[in-house]
Structure formats: structure tokens, C-alpha cells
Amino acid sequence: MSVSSREMGPSLTPEILSHLGLANKTAAWGTLGTLRTFLSFSVDKDVQRLLKAITGQGVDHGAIVDVLTNRSREQRQLISRAFQERTQQDLLKSLQAALSGNLEKIVVALLQPAAQFDAQELRTALKASDSAEDVTMEILATRTPPRLQECLAAYGHHFQVEAEDDIKSKTSGILRDLLLALAKGGRESYSGIIDYNLAEQDVQALRQDEGRSTQGPWVLILTQRNPKHLTRVFEQYQRRTGQELEEAVRTRFRGDARAALLSLASVIRNTPLYFADKLHRALQESEPNYQVLMRILISRSETDLLSIRAEFKKKFGKSLYSSLQDAVTGDCRSALLALCRAEDI
């Protein structure tokens, strides 16, 4: 007897998935990522294939890319541990010895735990004055609260300094306040009810001429309120003033503070579009910004890269896959295309 989706209500889904062993495997079921749990996963076969790719006559780049870009991060960690147990060698170090350039960087990022990858990117950004605002805002504003806390813990463990201390020493003013507030992870969760009075109060607070103060309402509202509430605030702000909130930011703020507030507003409005814009800028440079491409494609491959692809095609009239094909060269090209996964018609 067939069972229609109407007869089998949503409340049964967790129970069914639990019996299938997929209840907590979002990367295999209902994901908006391009990289999913490989259901025919065999850690032994993958270890043997990678060992052969490294030790055979010539390094088999294709085999390495095929394995690592078709396994979830959890599965890659299992492969790494199994490789160590079976060969007494560290997989990451073995691959680093066999590879070079951007492909080596991609492989390192794929084999790192997510928290360690984010922590390394955050540290690099804070040490480089030209990218502190851009990359730091990206990581602190777009990671889920649990992943962000894991990232900050990894940061302290690996670099023997707290991320907050580096933020304080490398940034100042409203930018510093924004980043520190985001690092605390205190954004309210959505309760299912929109508080219209609070939304109106927030609009009035943002309209006051306190934008140049590091202690103004901008930091509190944009880093603490939940995105659903902020969407309402943005809408009411435009109705009350006749301009989008971003126009007020451009008028009141300058430099890194303005860039950070605009980035944060973009994340709040539409996170996939925020990433699509970043990818497009990275591809438009005279030489593609491979670090940006790698960071975004890897970090979003198991969460929302399909949505990012859709926003990219909608805004720029060309698919992300085709854009990568046209702009990217070298040994990392196949890996980036594999993470992107497919053309969007």
C-alpha cells in the first residue's frame, strides 16, 4: 500500500529518519549544500585509493579530488583517522608532501575540522590589516552559534590567545564593538512571535543621530536581535524614512565601520546573496582571489551552496559553475568545480 505525503505528516519524519540512521545527517537529507554524506561510504576503500594516489607512479590528483570532494567533513575525518591507523602516517602531511599550490591549500582545508579551518582563516584575517573587517565579519556573522563557539575555542587552543583579544588589539571604534558583540554569540533566537512595539522602538533608536558613537544603538540592535525581527525593522525603517537602512549607514559612517555595517545588513537580509556577491567579486579580480573562493565553497558546501548558486545566477545572469570554469586555472580548478558541483540551467 502506498502512503502519500499528506497521509504521512511531518511529525513522522524524525521517527522514520531515525530508523534509517539519518535523523541527524542533514548533509544527506534535505540539505541545501552541494556536498552530501556519501551513502556508499567505505573508509577502507577510500584509504586504499588515497594511498595508491600518493605512492603510485606520479601523484593522482584526480583520485584525491574525487574522494575528498565527495565525502562529508565527518567522513573525511574518519578517513584521516583510518589512514593513520593503517599506515602509521598522517594523511594531511602525506598529501601536503605530494601536492603544492592552491590544490594543496584546498586539501588542507578539506581535511581540517571545521572549527580549526575557521579559526585559521580568522587568525590570518586579523593579522592582515587589509582583510580584517571583511573576513572577520564573514566568519563571525554567518556561522551558527555552536560552530562559532567551536571556532573561538579552537582559536584559543591553537594560537594561545583569545580571538577577542586579537580583535581588541587589531580593530577600533564601531568595527571593534561589532566584532566583539558578534563573537559573544548573543543573538536572540526567533520565538515565532514578532514584537511590533520593539521593532518600532528599534527603528526610532536607529533614526537618532547617534550613528558616530561606538556605544550607539546600531551595534546592539544589529548584533543582538534575531534576523526575523531585523527584517521587520528594516521594512519599517524604510517606510518611516523613505530610504533603506543601508543608505543611512552610508551617510553616517565611514571606513571600516561603514563596510562592516553594510556587510552585516547584507547577511541579515539574504545570507546566500551575501556570499554570491563575494564570490562574484573574487572572480572579477584580474587574478581570481583563490583564498575567498576556497573559503566560501568549502565552508558552505554542506549548508547552503545550492542557494548561493541560485542567487548568483539570478543576480549576474551566469551560473557560478560557468564563472568558475571561465576564470579559474591551475590544478585547483577541478576541486573548486567539484565543490560547486553542477551547472545551473
Side-chain angles (χ1 to χ4, degrees):
M1 180 180 69
S2 64
V3 181
S4 71
S5 59
R6 181 172 298 179
E7 294 168 335
M8 196 172 71
S11 61
L12 292 177
T13 301
E15 180 182 353
I16 293 171
L17 292 181
S18 67
H19 288 301
L20 292 173
L22 297 173
N24 297 315
K25 305 291 186 183
T26 55
W29 196 279
T31 182
L32 289 174
T34 57
L35 198 161
R36 308 180 179 208
T37 297
F38 189 60
L39 297 180
S40 299
F41 178 56
S42 169
V43 69
D44 290 325
K45 289 182 179 179
D46 285 346
V47 167
Q48 289 301 318
R49 191 175 181 198
L50 288 173
L51 186 61
K52 182 179 179 181
I54 297 170
T55 59
Q57 186 174 2
V59 179
D60 189 345
H61 292 183
I64 295 169
V65 168
D66 186 51
V67 171
L68 297 184
T69 61
N70 283 288
R71 307 294 184 267
S72 68
R73 191 175 289 274
E74 181 182 353
Q75 289 176 324
R76 295 195 296 269
Q77 292 299 301
L78 292 174
I79 293 170
S80 186
R81 288 196 290 270
F83 191 95
Q84 175 75 46
E85 292 171 0
R86 289 157 176 73
T87 68
Q88 306 305 308
Q89 299 176 52
D90 184 277
L91 176 59
L92 180 56
K93 291 180 180 178
S94 298
L95 288 169
Q96 284 181 296
L99 302 171
S100 62
N102 287 322
L103 181 57
E104 178 190 349
K105 292 178 182 178
I106 291 176
V107 166
V108 169
L110 286 169
L111 285 175
Q112 286 179 320
Q116 185 178 336
F117 173 62
D118 283 344
Q120 183 62 62
E121 289 292 296
L122 188 59
R123 174 75 167 183
T124 301
L126 288 170
K127 291 297 181 182
S129 58
D130 61 336
S131 63
E133 172 273 320
D134 181 45
V135 180
T136 307
M137 178 60 67
E138 175 190 319
I139 292 174
L140 296 182
T142 65
R143 302 311 190 246
T144 62
R147 178 163 170 177
L148 179 57
Q149 291 311 305
E150 290 174 2
C151 164
L152 297 177
Y155 193 104
H157 175 74
H158 287 285
F159 306 117
Q160 299 301 302
V161 62
E162 297 302 319
E164 289 89 339
D165 292 334
D166 276 346
I167 290 172
K168 289 176 184 176
S169 66
K170 298 296 181 181
T171 60
S172 60
I174 293 180
L175 174 60
R176 179 186 59 200
D177 292 346
L178 279 169
L179 296 178
L180 289 174
L182 289 169
K184 286 183 171 61
R187 191 177 294 283
E188 302 160 353
S189 58
Y190 180 52
S191 66
I193 300 174
I194 296 177
D195 188 332
Y196 292 96
N197 289 330
L198 180 59
E200 184 60 36
Q201 291 173 22
D202 286 346
V203 169
Q204 293 303 320
L206 293 173
R207 291 181 65 184
Q208 295 174 9
D209 192 19
E210 298 177 357
R212 300 184 189 280
S213 168
T214 61
Q215 301 303 319
W218 294 83
V219 172
L220 172 65
I221 293 170
L222 294 182
T223 64
Q224 303 301 305
R225 305 289 192 253
N226 71 74
K228 293 285 187 182
H229 173 88
L230 287 172
T231 297
R232 179 72 181 179
V233 169
F234 287 8
E235 292 171 351
Q236 290 198 187
Y237 188 94
Q238 185 168 1
R239 281 199 292 269
R240 294 282 185 276
T241 66
Q243 66 174 355
E244 292 188 340
L245 188 76
E246 289 85 344
E247 287 304 311
V249 170
R250 293 185 182 95
T251 301
R252 297 185 180 193
F253 300 96
R254 295 290 182 271
D256 285 344
R258 176 166 63 184
L261 285 166
L262 290 173
S263 292
L264 187 52
S266 179
V267 171
I268 292 166
R269 282 191 184 275
N270 187 334
T271 301
L273 179 57
Y274 163 80
F275 281 115
D277 282 333
K278 293 197 74 168
L279 287 168
H280 186 258
R281 288 195 296 271
L283 288 165
Q284 292 303 302
E285 296 182 19
S286 55
E287 173 75 11
N289 190 325
Y290 286 98
Q291 194 63 35
V292 172
L293 297 176
M294 287 186 282
R295 184 179 62 252
I296 296 176
L297 290 176
I298 291 171
S299 67
R300 311 311 292 187
S301 62
E302 294 185 53
T303 53
D304 59 356
L305 190 49
L306 288 176
S307 298
I308 293 169
R309 278 171 33 183
E311 293 291 351
F312 191 101
K313 179 70 177 292
K314 179 180 177 181
K315 181 168 183 177
F316 303 110
K318 183 178 180 179
S319 74
L320 176 58
Y321 193 88
S322 291
S323 298
L324 289 167
Q325 280 185 314
D326 291 344
V328 174
T329 59
D331 56 3
C332 72
R333 185 173 186 263
S334 62
L336 293 177
L337 289 172
L339 289 167
C340 183
R341 197 56 92 214
E343 181 66 87
D344 294 301
I345 306 302

